[in-house]
Amino acid sequence: MDDNDRSIVGFVMVGHAMVHTYELSIPILMTIWLLEFSTTAAMLGVAATVGYGLFGIGALPGGLLVDRFGSRTLISACLAGMGLSFLALSLASGVVGVTIALALWGIAASIYHPAGLTLISNGVEERGRGFAYHGMAGNVGIAGGPLLTAVLLLAFDWRVAAAILAVPALLAAVIGMRIQFDPTAAVEVTDGGRTREIPTSLAEFGSETRRLFTLGFLLVFVVVAFNGLYYRGVLTFLPDLLGDFLTAAVGDVRPGFFDPDSPVAAEFDLSQYLYAALLSVGIGGQYLGGRLTDAIEPDRGLIIMLSLLTVIALLFVPAAQAGLWGLLVISFILGFVLFAMQPLTQATIAKYSRPESRGFSFGYTYLAIFGIGALGAAIVGTTLTYASVSALFVVLASFSALGGLFAVALVTRS
């Protein structure tokens, strides 16, 4: 990579890691809010759905803003907006305040993916390596966000922890506006100097959407939407569920090097570290999913992974109740398979979309996975409040099973 490539890739790696750090810090904080505000999982599920929903819904208008104002400006605005939203979160006095702060985060974060992917596509000559490093940084944020939040909660009140989390994004926003790079350095190299015109009116937008949504792409859209429901539903409340299962398996565990009466010992929650470990295992799943895209047709790979997710959901509660080892094994398998889906999903989207509409298709993908998928938090939260944990995992299994059936229809149609 030359200096321009390194500058761009470094910038988007920071942005991608920050987006997912905040995204996955929210479930950790929710375990505190359940007690802090004496609320229900259903209410917090709705609050999370608002933020996560806007995170997905904003991807399409975010893409149009990128074409109007440029990736650098939009990524910096995204970083600043996320930082300010977490400062607002630190001041929230109840569930309404939390919901407003999460909504602000969702609006700001929704800009990132179309902006970051556009910047890599147009500015990085070694595009493949750029996307690879970009994805790795996102995985670091996915695994590191819960871990960092859990560590901060050992030493600080959750409000102080949220304020501290805001600082890196605000600093990155300032640096992003000052760093030097050419955002279009690779356009002529990779695209023959041609750039694709974007819709400039609602009529053109509708026409482009109709061209994109062939029957094949429509089936892909439905499959990834069900996967998004599963993804958001299981990850949002998993820290709290893991805490219950761990307590049943091994009791209340505190490391021996903590004073039992110290504030640190009082805040220590082993389930938060198990949650971070589960997400770290997902990095290996990403690698396997990427290798599978070279070995089999990606849409057939989706059938395999969705079938595995269905089995995992149905076995999770019996395995977790069997003891500590059962809980650890089923948790790590879940983390591995859940993230192995992602490369297969992206490859399937590319297979069923036209090259000149690839960016547009990925915009709709984020709408499905993060927008429609955000409803998973509300559905799971409501199930957890009014039914049982076993019913919750049956609901998750239904998401993946339905997604798998549509994936079968996709392959059969092909």
Side-chain angles (χ1 to χ4, degrees):
M1 287 188 171
D2 59 22
D3 289 342
N4 192 70
D5 282 6
R6 284 192 291 271
S7 295
I8 291 176
V9 170
F11 181 41
V12 296
M13 285 178 70
V14 170
H16 200 201
M18 294 298 325
V19 167
H20 290 296
T21 293
Y22 291 123
E23 177 198 6
L24 272 302
S25 71
I26 293 170
I28 297 295
L29 292 170
M30 287 179 70
T31 63
I32 307 295
W33 297 333
L34 280 168
L35 301 176
E36 176 84 8
F37 301 126
S38 300
T39 187
T40 65
M43 287 295 296
L44 282 182
V46 171
T49 296
V50 171
Y52 288 142
L54 290 171
F55 180 33
I57 292 170
L60 279 176
L64 297 177
L65 289 173
V66 170
D67 291 314
R68 175 71 182 276
F69 298 105
S71 292
R72 179 206 297 271
T73 301
L74 267 295
I75 293 175
S76 296
C78 164
L79 290 165
M82 291 192 300
L84 292 173
S85 68
F86 262 63
L87 284 180
L89 183 63
S90 71
L91 301 175
S93 58
V95 176
V96 173
V98 167
T99 304
I100 293 172
L102 293 183
L104 294 174
W105 172 82
I107 293 170
S110 70
I111 300 169
Y112 176 75
H113 284 97
L117 295 174
T118 297
L119 184 55
I120 295 173
S121 298
N122 294 343
V124 177
E125 294 188 15
E126 294 190 46
R127 184 182 294 177
R129 289 181 65 187
F131 280 122
Y133 291 137
H134 178 260
M136 291 169 63
N139 285 328
V140 169
I142 287 171
L147 180 61
L148 175 61
T149 305
V151 170
L152 288 174
L153 290 173
L154 288 177
F156 302 103
D157 176 78
W158 73 266
R159 297 179 186 279
V160 177
I164 293 173
L165 286 171
V167 174
L170 295 173
L171 291 176
V174 174
I175 295 171
M177 292 304 295
R178 298 176 63 88
I179 191 172
Q180 297 297 313
F181 56 75
D182 180 358
T184 59
V187 172
E188 291 186 0
V189 174
T190 58
D191 297 318
R194 297 186 301 273
T195 57
R196 177 176 172 270
E197 294 185 1
I198 63 167
T200 56
S201 68
L202 287 176
E204 290 182 9
F205 183 85
S207 177
E208 186 70 15
T209 297
R210 286 191 295 272
R211 283 195 294 270
L212 173 65
F213 271 84
T214 62
L215 178 58
F217 187 82
L218 176 61
L219 288 171
V220 173
F221 183 87
V222 174
V223 170
V224 300
F226 275 115
N227 178 238
L229 289 169
Y230 189 110
Y231 172 90
R232 186 62 66 205
V234 72
L235 290 185
T236 301
F237 290 97
L238 195 56
D240 193 50
L241 295 174
L242 290 175
D244 293 339
F245 286 127
L246 275 171
T247 300
V250 297
D252 188 13
V253 177
R254 294 287 187 274
F257 51 81
F258 288 157
D259 180 348
D261 298 323
S262 70
V264 173
E267 293 295 335
F268 181 84
D269 188 345
L270 185 60
S271 66
Q272 296 174 350
Y273 297 91
L274 176 57
Y275 184 67
L278 178 155
L279 297 174
S280 298
V281 169
I283 296 174
Q286 290 268 15
Y287 176 78
L288 174 64
R291 292 300 299 270
L292 284 176
T293 61
D294 296 326
I296 61 176
E297 290 296 322
D299 44 3
R300 295 181 183 274
L302 289 183
I303 296 174
I304 296 172
M305 293 302 168
L306 287 165
S307 299
L308 288 174
L309 287 175
T310 302
V311 173
I312 291 167
L314 294 176
L315 293 179
F316 196 96
V317 172
Q321 291 177 341
L324 178 61
W325 283 109
L327 174 61
L328 293 177
V329 170
I330 196 67
S331 296
F332 291 150
I333 292 175
L334 171 63
F336 192 90
V337 176
L338 187 64
F339 288 97
M341 278 283 298
Q342 292 188 4
L344 292 164
T345 298
Q346 302 304 321
T348 302
I349 293 163
K351 178 178 178 179
Y352 288 92
S353 62
R354 295 177 292 123
E356 63 271 21
S357 300
R358 196 74 28 93
F360 202 47
S361 67
F362 280 112
Y364 271 108
T365 299
Y366 286 112
L367 173 63
I369 295 175
F370 294 137
I372 297 174
L375 294 172
I379 294 171
V380 167
T382 301
T383 304
L384 190 59
T385 300
Y386 298 106
S388 64
V389 174
S390 295
L392 181 157
F393 280 96
V394 170
V395 170
L396 292 173
S398 69
F399 291 153
S400 53
L402 288 170
L405 290 175
F406 280 102
V408 169
L410 176 66
V411 171
T412 303
R413 172 194 171 277
S414 298

